[in-house]
Amino acid sequence: MKLVVLIKQTFDTEEKIELVNGAVADDSVKFIINPYDEYALEEALRLREAHGGSVTVVSCGSDRAVEALRTALAMGADEAVLLEQDGLPDDGHAVAAALAVALQPMLPDLILAGLFAVDRGAGSIALQIAERLGLPHAAAALKLEVRDGDSAGAARAAGGNGADAKPVKAHNGASWGSGDKVAVVVRDTEWGDETVEIPLPALITAQQGLNEPRYPSLPGIMKAKRKPLRQVSIHDLGLDAGDLAPRTERLALLAPPLRAAGRKLSGAPAEQAALLAELLQREAKLF
Amino acid sequence: MKRTALVYAECADGKLRRVALEALGAARLLAGDGGSVHAVLVGGGPEAALQEAAAELAARGAGVVHVVDDPALAGFAPEAYAAVIGAAVAAVRPSVIVLGHTAAGRELAPRVAASVGGGHVADVTAIDLQGDGGADAVFTRPLYAGKAFEQRRFLPGAPGVLTVRPNNLPVAEPVAPGSEGVIAALPYPAPPLWTTVRSVVRKTGGTVDLAEADIIVAGGRGVRSAEGFAPLAALAAVLGGAVGASRGACDAGYCDYALQIGQTGKTVTPKLYIACGISGAIQHLAGMSQSRVIVAINKDPDAPIFGVADYGIVGDLFEIVPLLTEQFRTLLSKPG
C-alpha cells in the first residue's frame, strides 16, 4: 500500500508567541512536527507494518522543515519530499494547489494528514487537496482499519441506506488504485463517534486519540540520514499563475487583548460559593 | 457595497443551529444594503422540520432559501453535502459563502473553497467593514489557538469561503413583516456516495455542544479520576452548560479527548468558563483565555490560571463545586 503523510513543522505548543515588528518571532523557538500530523504518521507506519508498502512524508515549508522530515524518517518513514515554499503566497489556496499537483503522480492509496495544524488552526489544506484530487475523505479519525472491500459494502454504498440505488461512479483517476480496498474509520464528530466506510484511494485526517506516536529510535535516527529526501521547487510543478495567485491576504497580526488577573475571593467555602454566584449575577451580569 | 452571499444553514436533529443564524447575520452584513442573501438548507426529512427551518431563515433575512431534501442527505456525508452547496453556488454565483465553524462546516468549507478555486478564511471571530462604503470586509481569526490573532481579507477574483466561530457574531434579527424571503426547492445533484455511514454512537453525558456552549465547566488533573468529573457535570447541568477538560485530564485518561480545550483540542469563547483543578498551562490558556468571564477554582494559590481569571477561589474543587451547584440551583429556580 502506498501511504503518503502530510506533515507541517510548527511551533512547540508550550512556546509563547511574541510579535516583533509585525511578525511572530521565531528565533530560539522549539519546532516540532504538528502533533496531529504525528498521529497521522504513526498510523501510516502501523498500516505499513500490517499491510506492507511504503510511507512517504511530504511537507511544504522552508528549509528548516527538513528537520521535521528527518524526524519523520527516523520514526520509520521510507522517503521524504520537501515542497519548497519559495514562490508560494501566504494563502491556503496556492499551497493546496501545489501540494495536490505534487501528490497526484505518487498515486497514493491513502493520504493521511493531521486534523489541523496548531499554528494556523484552519484545517483547510488537506481537505482542499482531497477535493482537488477528487478523493473522498474521512475527517477526525479516532480509529482506522483498511480491509478488502466486499460487494455487499458496495451495494450498501449504492443503496444509500435503503434509498433508490444510485450508481457508484469511479472518481476521476480511474486507473488510480485498484479500488478493491476500503477504509473503515471511526471519526470524532459533534454528534457522536461515527463509523464510516470509504473506498480507497482516500484522504483521512487524524484526531487526537488515534494512537500514541512512537519516538525515533537511535538506529532509526542513523538510518534516516541515508533515506531519500527530495526537495521540489514550486517551479518544477508546472502550476499556472492562476493556481499560484493568493485568494486571501493578511492585513495585520495582533497580540491577544491582555487579561488582568481578577479578584481572589476569601472566606469559608460556602461563603465563597455564595459570593461567586452573586458576583456572576450582579457584577458580570451573566444570570 | 453590494454583494451576493450564500449561507450554509446547518441543522442538528432537524433544527437550525444558532451558529446558522450567526452565519446568516454575517452574510447579511457582508452582502450590504441592496445585496442579496441566499441560504442553502440540506436535509433528508422530516419535511415539516425542514420547512420550519426554511421559514425561520426567510424571516431573518435570507432572500431565497434553497431547500435540498433527499433521503440520501439524512445523515452528514461530506462529499454529498459539498456537492449540494456546489449546486447552490452554481445557481446563485455568490461572492462570499458563509458556514459555521462546526465539525461539519470545517469539513465542507475547504472542499467548497477548492471546488470554486476560492479563498478560505476559517474560524472567524469578528468582521469589520472598512474602506469606501464598507467595501472591504476584514476578518479577525485566532492563530496558535488564540496566542495571537490575524486580520485577513479576500482578494477579488474568486468567491471567498469563511467559517464563523460559534458564539462570537450576532445572530440575524428578524426582518420587517412582509419582507421575508422566499423558499425554493433545489434538486439534489446526487454525486457518487463515497462515504457510507455504518453507525453513530451518540456521546453520553453533555447535551450541549462544547463549541456552542455559553457556559463551560472544565476539569483538569485536579479532578483526579473519571468519576471526579461528576460534580462538574452536575454544575454544568444546572447552568445549562457543557463540560470541557484540559489536556492533562485527557492524557491522564479521565475523559475523552473530544472534551479537550487548548492548543491541541478546541478553542472556545463562552460567556462563562469555570476552570476546576486546572493549573493553567500555556497550551490550555491558549484555548480558553478569550472567554468573556473566567472563574478559577484551584488548591494552588500560585496556579497560572489565576493570572487570567476574573474570579478566583483557592480551595478544593470537590468542596466548592457542589456548593456552587447548590447556589445556582437556588438562584436559577427563582423567577426573574
Side-chain angles (χ1 to χ4, degrees), chain B residues 162-255:
Chain B
L162 74 143
T163 55
V164 297
R165 180 187 296 188
N167 275 348
N168 282 256
L169 301 170
V171 299
E173 295 298 333
V175 293
S179 57
E180 295 95 343
V182 299
I183 297 166
L186 192 70
Y188 172 47
L193 279 174
W194 280 322
T195 302
T196 315
V197 178
R198 287 180 155 191
S199 66
V200 182
V201 179
R202 290 263 174 179
K203 284 184 182 126
T204 50
T207 49
V208 183
D209 176 54
L210 207 48
E212 273 193 304
D214 275 338
I215 296 174
I216 294 173
V217 183
R221 279 191 188 275
V223 301
R224 297 202 299 257
S225 67
E227 295 72 37
F229 270 96
L232 277 56
L235 176 57
V238 165
L239 295 174
V243 174
S246 72
R247 177 170 184 171
C250 298
D251 281 349
Y254 303 161
C255 64

Side-chain angles (χ1 to χ4, degrees), chain A residues 13 36 119-120 124 131 187-188 190 195 197 208 247-251 254 259 262 264-265 283, chain B residues 17 107 111 117 120 141 144 147 149-153 198-199 203 260 265 291 301 309 311-312:
Chain A
T13 53
Y36 291 86
D119 49 9
R120 300 292 178 98
S124 187
E131 179 69 25
R187 52 189 227 100
D188 172 37
E190 289 160 11
T195 305
E197 184 175 305
Q208 199 163 41
R247 303 300 200 254
T248 71
E249 81 176 337
R250 178 183 287 173
L251 299 169
L254 312 164
R259 261 197 116 94
K264 266 189 202 159
L265 310 185
E283 197 175 84
Chain B
R17 293 182 67 161
E107 281 187 54
R111 292 203 80 115
H120 178 206
R141 63 180 304 273
Y144 307 94
K147 289 178 184 169
F149 285 81
E150 67 170 342
Q151 290 188 323
R152 225 165 233 286
R153 68 169 182 140
R198 287 180 155 191
S199 66
K203 284 184 182 126
Q260 189 188 327
S291 304
Y311 304 107

